[in-house]
Amino acid sequence: MELGRSFWSVFKYEISRTLSKKSFLFSMFGLPILGLILVAFLRSTINTGDMTQQLMKFAVDTGGITNAGYVDYSGLFPQAGQLASEYLTRYEDEAQARAALDAGEITVYYIIPADYAETGEVQSVLPSFSMSSISSAPMRLLFFSQVGEQLQNFEDLNVLGVPPNFQVNKLQTETESRRVNEDDNNSAVTIFAILFVFALFGTNGYLMQTVIEEKETRLIEILLSSLTPLALLTGKILALGILGLLQLVIYIGALLIGVRLYGGDLSFLSAINLSVGTIAILVIYFVLGYLFFAAAFGAVGAISTSITEGPALATIFIIPAVIPLIIPGTFAQDPNGGIAVFMSLFPITSPMAMIMRTSITDVPVTELILSIGILAVTVIGMLWFAARLFRQHTLLAGTGFKLRDIPRLVLGN
Amino acid sequence: MTQSAISVERVSKTYGTFKAVDDISFEVNQGEIFAMLGPNGAGKSTTIRMILDILRPDSGKIAVFGEKMNEAIKHRIGYLPEERGLYREVSVIEVMVYLGTLKGLSRPEAKKRAMRLLEQLELADKAKQKVKSFSKGMQQKVQFAVTIIHDPDLIIVDEPFSGLDPVNTQLLKNMVKDLRQKGTAVVMSSHEMFQVEEMADRLLMINRGKLALYGGVDEVRKRYATHGIIVEGSGDWSRLKGVERIEPASNSRNGVLLHLNPNIQTDAVLSEIAQNSAYHISKFEEAVPSLYDIFIRVAGERPEDIEAEYKQKVGKNA
């Protein structure tokens, strides 16, 4: 399949033209920056205003942990205190705390070592790795409960805003390691999938816009006299695909910065343990998924008669594509069930469905091969289909599109 | 023998049940202006798109510079479609450079040529302005510049002068004539018959998908000439020897068309007018119809009549 030099001209031009668009720059850089500014603002709001009130709100936030324990070797926290006693139980030693944890009386316990005053370190002990159980909030509550109520100068309470230096101990055995990381992997992959959707439909939306613009301005006929529809379409797809990938990286980077800026703990990143195989699957589905939806959006652009009609028609692909994200419970409950398997094989839903499934369960290799095969063939078919529509329908700008026209447009010369 | 710029051989194209182009054959030579005429919907645009490989014919063969269309050939062609546009939110120079690179030019070369053309078209000072700030006429000049930015060997221009004022029309006409002078083949589709008459060397007329006229412009006009003369002046024209019928001349404001007896020569009529003081003439010419008249006549005919008449006039092997 000869694409020629013109393909690279399209590729380079689409990158420079898209990067010069204010709307694209806003979505790529503006949105994450605004998000970070918002996070910084929220953070600064917490540190200003009425200190007592703020600290009270700050202190009683237990980060969603309602039953925790602690073992104090420092002697600084003989009692949980009135404010914290509802959420925190003091144990004399680790054996008692462990017994309570095993019995399910508490979800996490903290070990405050003897040298806490010097190091500021606190150990957190969890039954298995769980994102929801990692929080410094109960410790803040304990400190506030013990110390804050007795201090007259509330400015001294600023020290309580500093998160303790956590060391996380996991009690699981090596053989259970895969299950331990499930929550983290699942969360990470879900976040990836959501950002992927944003980047995917954002950049492909631009692709569709450029196609419609070229039709509306009637530039398309001049372009097609210089290169083939396939070269034009693939040049656009590759250019916007790279920008989409860049956008994804920026979004992920902004998310991590945002978490850090808000005072969150990034230690969970080290707990994410995606295998090489899972990462390979993510990459394969990212590439194939992107190509499929890019070709689909290109086809929608080719049959759309106006810039307002395109997005409406694109929902034919968008809604089915995000269904797996809308029903994560179905995947969590029965990752190898009929619905999950069907969605993993159906090309429109397979990128999201398979990305989610692989983070939850071991997908049979045959299913993986079948799903990737179907998607790859569909990508080629969709590219061909889009190029055909491009050739035929782009010359009919202003004429309405009818479904019954498709065979003639695609199969005609 | 000089190779044809375009060779179209028995080409047909059907949309559904509508036959847009029906068994058309013609050739375009290098270094000539070739007019493509026909009423709206006659099949001109479809023929042009098939030449450019934007559409594929159902049957027949098309060769450009002796080859089937490929990227190298596309780089030798400039195309200005009837319905045309440019990216509106982009600067003029940027869009020209991009379209130049699509024709195989490097960016610096495309920029150099774009600036040179903009200077020629008196738009150089506006090179960095966005296309949307240009008037329709200015955009049309830019589109024409884009068509020839890569020094093509063949240009296909559809209504190149529509909407332009007389000064800019003349500017573009001169550029087209210069291209012909340099050996470029120019295919020009136009409804402005006087432009075709003035500029074109040969023509093709398509009507309802079928070839209706094909040949040199003068040759076609003579083919449709009646045996008569057009005169402007005074006198009783009906008393002239050999005049069978008189009617107002369609392409002359005050003239009349004198239909002559087949046995009398036009020179004899002129001689009689000159010798007879009862007649005064300010204009005397052979009754060769304008292309406008021929167009009106041919476009109004049924395809089967056109075909029969065409074969009768130029022979079955034409």
Side-chain angles (χ1 to χ4, degrees), chain A residues 285 336 341 344-345 354 357 362-374:
Chain A
Y285 278 97
N336 288 320
V341 171
S344 304
L345 298 177
M354 204 53 112
R357 269 183 80 198
D362 283 322
V363 179
V365 177
T366 48
E367 263 182 45
L368 261 176
I369 293 170
L370 192 61
S371 168
I372 289 170
I374 291 172

Side-chain angles (χ1 to χ4, degrees), chain B residues 29-301:
Chain B
N29 302 320
Q30 287 171 350
E32 73 170 353
I33 296 178
F34 185 85
M36 200 178 268
L37 312 176
N40 296 327
K44 300 187 301 291
S45 294
T46 300
T47 305
I48 289 171
R49 286 166 181 169
M50 286 191 290
I51 292 169
L52 292 165
D53 198 37
I54 295 172
L55 294 175
R56 302 261 163 80
D58 297 333
S59 61
K61 283 184 198 166
I62 295 174
V64 179
F65 300 116
E67 293 179 43
K68 270 188 80 175
M69 186 58 74
N70 56 53
E71 192 174 11
I73 295 289
K74 281 187 174 184
H75 287 179
R76 294 174 67 187
I77 302 173
Y79 177 42
L80 181 70
E82 183 181 7
E83 289 184 67
R84 52 217 169 207
L86 299 165
Y87 295 118
R88 291 178 53 75
E89 299 291 337
V90 178
S91 73
V92 169
I93 188 71
E94 197 183 324
V95 76
M96 287 181 78
V97 169
Y98 171 52
L99 295 174
T101 59
L102 288 183
K103 289 294 186 183
L105 299 178
S106 65
R107 274 189 69 82
E109 182 62 23
K111 193 168 185 178
K112 199 170 83 183
R113 291 190 189 195
M115 282 312 300
R116 197 167 59 210
L117 281 165
L118 287 175
E119 273 165 27
Q120 210 174 334
L121 294 164
E122 297 165 354
L123 293 171
D125 57 329
K126 297 178 175 65
K128 290 184 178 171
Q129 286 185 15
K130 284 191 176 175
V131 170
K132 68 178 180 185
S133 70
F134 272 38
S135 69
K136 195 182 167 202
M138 286 155 80
Q139 285 190 36
Q140 193 162 329
K141 284 159 73 177
V142 173
Q143 285 151 357
F144 183 79
V146 165
T147 309
I148 61 171
I149 193 170
H150 54 298
D151 278 341
D153 297 316
L154 163 67
I155 64 167
I156 300 176
V157 287
D158 203 342
E159 296 292 350
F161 315 119
S162 68
L164 286 178
D165 62 52
V167 174
N168 283 313
T169 299
Q170 194 55 47
L171 184 66
L172 260 58
K173 274 162 75 172
N174 290 341
M175 289 172 84
V176 171
K177 285 176 183 172
D178 286 347
L179 286 167
R180 169 176 60 183
Q181 203 68 28
K182 287 193 284 185
T184 306
V186 180
V187 174
M188 186 171 79
S189 175
S190 179
H191 287 131
E192 294 173 296
M193 293 300 129
F194 65 99
Q195 306 281 17
V196 174
E197 223 166 273
E198 179 196 328
M199 297 178 71
D201 301 299
R202 293 194 310 131
L203 65 83
L204 165 83
M205 182 171 169
I206 305 174
N207 191 30
R208 298 176 205 183
K210 285 182 180 291
L211 193 147
L213 291 172
Y214 178 45
V217 171
D218 293 337
E219 176 201 329
V220 167
R221 289 184 65 199
K222 279 184 182 158
R223 211 186 291 159
Y224 277 82
T226 50
H227 185 50
I229 52 172
I230 293 168
V231 291
E232 279 182 24
S234 61
D236 185 358
W237 309 112
S238 62
R239 294 177 69 87
L240 285 169
K241 197 165 78 179
V243 172
E244 289 188 332
R245 192 159 50 89
I246 301 171
E247 65 179 75
S250 61
N251 56 348
S252 172
R253 188 180 293 175
N254 301 312
V256 288
L257 168 60
L258 310 181
H259 289 273
L260 303 179
N261 184 303
N263 299 320
I264 197 156
Q265 298 297 309
T266 53
D267 292 351
V269 179
L270 178 61
S271 174
E272 189 183 344
I273 291 170
Q275 288 168 19
N276 191 334
S277 60
Y279 295 100
H280 296 283
I281 55 167
S282 56
K283 183 178 174 183
F284 180 96
E285 66 179 24
E286 264 193 298
V288 178
S290 65
L291 276 182
Y292 179 87
D293 290 331
I294 297 171
F295 184 97
I296 296 285
R297 184 176 156 190
V298 174
E301 290 176 355

